[in-house]
Amino acid sequence: MRNLTIILLYCVISASVSLTREELAAFQPRIQGYIDPNTGKEAVVYAWDSLLGYQVIRTNGIPSHQVGMFDENDEIVQRPYELQEAITELRIFSDPIMRDKPLRCMPMNFVGIATSGTLIYSWFPLTPGCLDIRKESKEFDVCSGHPSPSHHYHYNFYSPCVQIPVCGKPSPIYGVAIDGIPIYGPISEDGVQMTSQDLDECGGRVGRDGRYKYHVTADPPFFMGCFKGELRSDSGKSVEDFVCSCPYDDSMFSSTGPPNLSRTPTVCSSSPSNGSEPMSCWDEMYLRELPYQIPYKWEHQDKEIVLIACCPQGSDCGNSCKTEDGNKLLCFQERKTVKYLTRIAKTSESGTVRAA
């Protein structure tokens, strides 16, 4: 009888957790024992359920896969920031709490953690005009990652080194967002690679298992466009990160120095007495009363893109479909016309509008 009670209790826990036991186990180095040539350190990443109402993902931020050399003194390669350790501990609700309305102001710095242990950032860099990330930039290495100005290696869009999509096969978990909602790869349960058109405004959908999940796609915003879940007050994110910046406000950014956060107040606060309480956020009111008008807007326009490369079923594509010279010939990559989120200058006095 006691064993039956334990089994039933485990089934209840398994049905309600943000991350299942299998998903928690997916957080581990991609290449065991890999030593990062930039720091000489080995990647550390693991996740567990505390059984106290929260789950934990811990990483030292060291890449656990092939990585480029990042030397801030190297002007030829155009990689201006060195890579350093980024010890991070994220706490999420074991049982996700969905928000009444999405949190639209994406915080600065990391917005999720990949199963490889690498941090996930928003697709907007910290620049005036909220320029979108350019995948072809030489700042990115073969795994589509690079260090931030704070020297934290991260992804702004899909990294082929976290997982290799298998053509026609549903993608496994890719990571987790800071609101506790899992991030899955681009291929649906039907074996079709999705784009942002197949997802809601936050970049997610409800799967056949009844769970809401975000998905990484080949087109913007690549990861989450907003948050559907509540964040714990002790999530591990600094309250100072929660400001309304891009794509709503770029006034804090400078082309010559770091962001001036004094120009933009925070839009969330943590409970000082109980870390398990959700953060309190008022971004909707802030955006409604925002006096500053950024001179750009984002519209969906037809554009042909190359989808994420996948490995044919039954083939051995190694650790990644990507090499320094491009994708492996064995891997398959489809072209598709999508409604691409495009940065547009607002109508000028002459009435012209141009893509930026």
Side-chain angles (χ1 to χ4, degrees):
M1 184 68 180
R2 180 174 179 272
N3 290 338
L4 178 60
T5 301
I6 293 174
I7 292 173
L8 290 174
L9 177 61
Y10 174 74
C11 289
V12 171
I13 292 174
S14 298
S16 63
V17 294
S18 290
L19 300 178
T20 66
R21 183 174 62 175
E22 291 76 17
E23 290 169 339
L24 289 168
F27 286 84
Q28 57 179 294
R30 281 296 158 266
I31 303 176
Q32 295 292 335
Y34 180 77
I35 302 298
D36 166 42
N38 294 274
T39 61
K41 295 182 178 181
E42 184 176 343
V44 176
V45 55
Y46 50 98
W48 73 94
D49 194 313
S50 70
L51 301 182
L52 296 173
Y54 63 90
Q55 297 176 332
V56 182
I57 298 89
R58 182 176 290 171
T59 176
N60 65 354
I62 297 296
S64 62
H65 49 61
Q66 183 180 358
V67 64
M69 291 300 297
F70 296 93
D71 182 355
E72 59 187 11
N73 296 316
D74 190 340
E75 298 180 356
I76 298 177
V77 185
Q78 298 180 21
R79 292 175 176 170
Y81 305 113
E82 291 184 347
L83 190 159
Q84 298 177 7
E85 195 172 39
I87 298 175
T88 304
E89 181 174 294
L90 172 65
R91 287 191 179 193
I92 59 177
F93 287 108
S94 292
D95 188 356
I97 302 174
M98 304 304 286
R99 296 175 56 88
D100 293 333
K101 295 183 179 180
L103 175 62
R104 301 186 187 283
C105 293
M106 299 295 286
M108 299 175 67
N109 301 314
F110 79 99
V111 297
I113 300 178
T115 53
S116 62
T118 292
L119 303 179
I120 295 171
Y121 277 39
S122 166
W123 70 300
F124 289 110
L126 307 182
T127 58
C130 294
L131 295 169
D132 57 335
I133 289 292
R134 303 295 182 183
K135 291 185 179 182
E136 64 272 13
S137 170
K138 293 182 180 180
E139 281 192 32
F140 300 105
D141 63 12
V142 69
C143 288
S144 300
H146 69 151
S148 67
S150 56
H151 307 288
H152 295 171
Y153 185 82
H154 64 277
Y155 310 130
N156 293 96
F157 45 84
Y158 180 83
S159 169
C161 301
V162 175
Q163 57 179 222
I164 303 181
V166 177
C167 303
K169 185 175 180 180
S171 294
I173 186 171
Y174 185 97
V176 66
I178 58 175
D179 62 355
I181 295 175
I183 304 168
Y184 266 66
I187 302 180
S188 71
E189 299 101 319
D190 298 318
V192 177
Q193 185 165 160
M194 296 179 289
T195 65
S196 61
Q197 292 176 242
D198 303 302
L199 307 171
D200 64 19
E201 61 179 328
C202 291
R205 66 197 287 265
V206 177
R208 289 179 182 170
D209 58 2
R211 298 171 66 204
Y212 181 84
K213 305 167 188 172
Y214 299 123
H215 289 269
V216 55
T217 61
D219 61 323
F222 306 113
F223 292 105
M224 298 75 65
C226 49
F227 291 118
K228 281 292 188 75
E230 296 280 12
L231 286 81
R232 289 177 62 96
S233 287
D234 61 356
S235 67
K237 281 287 292 180
S238 170
V239 172
E240 285 71 28
D241 284 349
F242 288 87
V243 295
C244 268
S245 56
C246 293
Y248 306 106
D249 184 356
D250 66 343
S251 60
M252 74 181 74
F253 301 130
S254 166
S255 59
T256 58
N260 183 354
L261 298 182
S262 64
R263 295 182 178 178
T264 306
T266 57
V267 295
C268 294
S269 65
S270 299
S271 169
S273 58
N274 189 349
S276 64
E277 289 290 325
M279 295 185 73
S280 176
C281 299
W282 50 91
D283 64 307
E284 185 179 16
M285 179 176 64
Y286 176 85
L287 289 174
R288 188 168 57 245
E289 300 175 355
L290 181 64
Y292 173 76
Q293 292 294 323
I294 191 169
Y296 298 95
K297 58 183 178 179
W298 281 258
E299 294 182 349
H300 289 92
Q301 297 186 349
D302 287 341
K303 181 178 180 179
E304 185 181 63
I305 65 170
V306 177
L307 297 185
I308 294 167
C310 61
C311 184
Q313 295 190 39
S315 301
D316 182 5
C317 299
N319 293 320
S320 172
C321 273
K322 191 176 180 181
T323 70
E324 295 284 0
D325 300 319
N327 287 316
K328 296 176 181 176
L329 295 177
L330 178 62
C331 294
F332 173 74
Q333 212 165 12
E334 179 185 357
R335 288 185 173 273
K336 185 176 183 179
T337 299
V338 301
K339 295 293 185 182
Y340 196 89
L341 196 57
T342 306
R343 176 176 175 267
I344 301 293
K346 290 183 179 178
T347 305
S348 65
E349 293 181 0
S350 62
T352 59
V353 176
R354 61 179 177 81

